[in-house]
Amino acid sequence: MRSALHFILNGERIALQDVDPRTTLLDWLRETRRLTGTKEGCNEGDCGACTVTVTRLEGGRPARRPVNACIQLLPMLDGAAVTTVEGISAPDGRLHPAQDAMARLHGSQCGFCTPGFVMALHADYPNGRRGKAGVADAVAGNLCRCTGYGPILA
Ligand code: FES
Ligand code: FES
């Protein structure tokens, strides 16, 4: 039996020994890794502020899914690749298209929800352009109290 937990975080190999199995991915990201772009809102899987993406092999192909980090326990990540909002810009610093569109089209006001929306869109990005209905579907699990959603869908 293995005592270590292995996964990839933003391209970095992670091996954790004797981790408390009750540790959530959100707490570990924010408190241990200081990756505070992933926000804590409801802390019970309802608001989407803590959205990250998790990639696993499905049918031999990588499948990227949005995940609420507040209800994801670290042992659930063994063998997966986790990406946070800090890990999606290009190596030369260019923004991910979801970040770029959010900034250009004023999809962010207070900004608290923004990383979660961006990561939900990052998860959906490999599916290609899908129009407003598709975007609405992709961000259905994310709440924003400021924008009225119009600029985000734009
Ligand atoms: Fe609200 Fe995780 S903090 S879904
Ligand atoms: Fe403030 Fe969405 S921009 S909660």
Side-chain angles (χ1 to χ4, degrees):
M1 193 171 82
R2 284 193 293 127
S3 62
L5 169 62
H6 298 267
F7 58 95
I8 293 172
L9 174 66
N10 293 338
E12 178 189 349
R13 286 173 174 271
I14 303 289
L16 300 177
Q17 291 281 351
D18 301 322
V19 68
D20 182 339
R22 297 166 299 178
T23 308
T24 66
L25 174 60
L26 178 62
D27 285 346
W28 183 77
L29 287 172
R30 291 182 58 84
E31 294 168 15
T32 303
R33 300 296 299 204
R34 298 291 177 207
L35 292 173
T36 53
T38 306
K39 303 302 183 200
E40 179 178 334
C42 65
N43 211 21
E44 55 186 27
D46 287 332
C47 73
C50 64
T51 305
V52 299
T53 56
V54 173
T55 304
R56 296 180 187 280
L57 286 179
E58 291 181 13
R61 312 180 71 154
R64 189 195 290 173
R65 309 263 182 231
V67 161
N68 289 331
C70 67
I71 53 172
Q72 193 79 10
L73 301 174
L74 280 181
M76 298 160 78
L77 297 165
D78 196 40
V82 178
T83 304
T84 71
V85 73
E86 290 88 351
I88 63 171
S89 57
D92 65 2
R94 263 178 305 123
L95 297 178
H96 184 274
Q99 293 174 303
D100 182 60
M102 276 287 203
R104 278 188 298 104
L105 299 169
H106 310 289
S108 182
Q109 289 184 19
C110 80
F112 192 83
C113 70
T114 308
F117 274 93
V118 163
M119 293 311 291
L121 293 169
H122 173 257
D124 195 57
Y125 194 69
N127 297 325
R129 278 173 179 257
R130 299 204 293 150
K132 267 192 187 174
V135 170
D137 196 36
V139 300
N142 296 75
L143 301 180
C144 175
R145 66 182 180 180
C146 302
T147 62
Y149 297 99
I152 294 174
L153 298 181

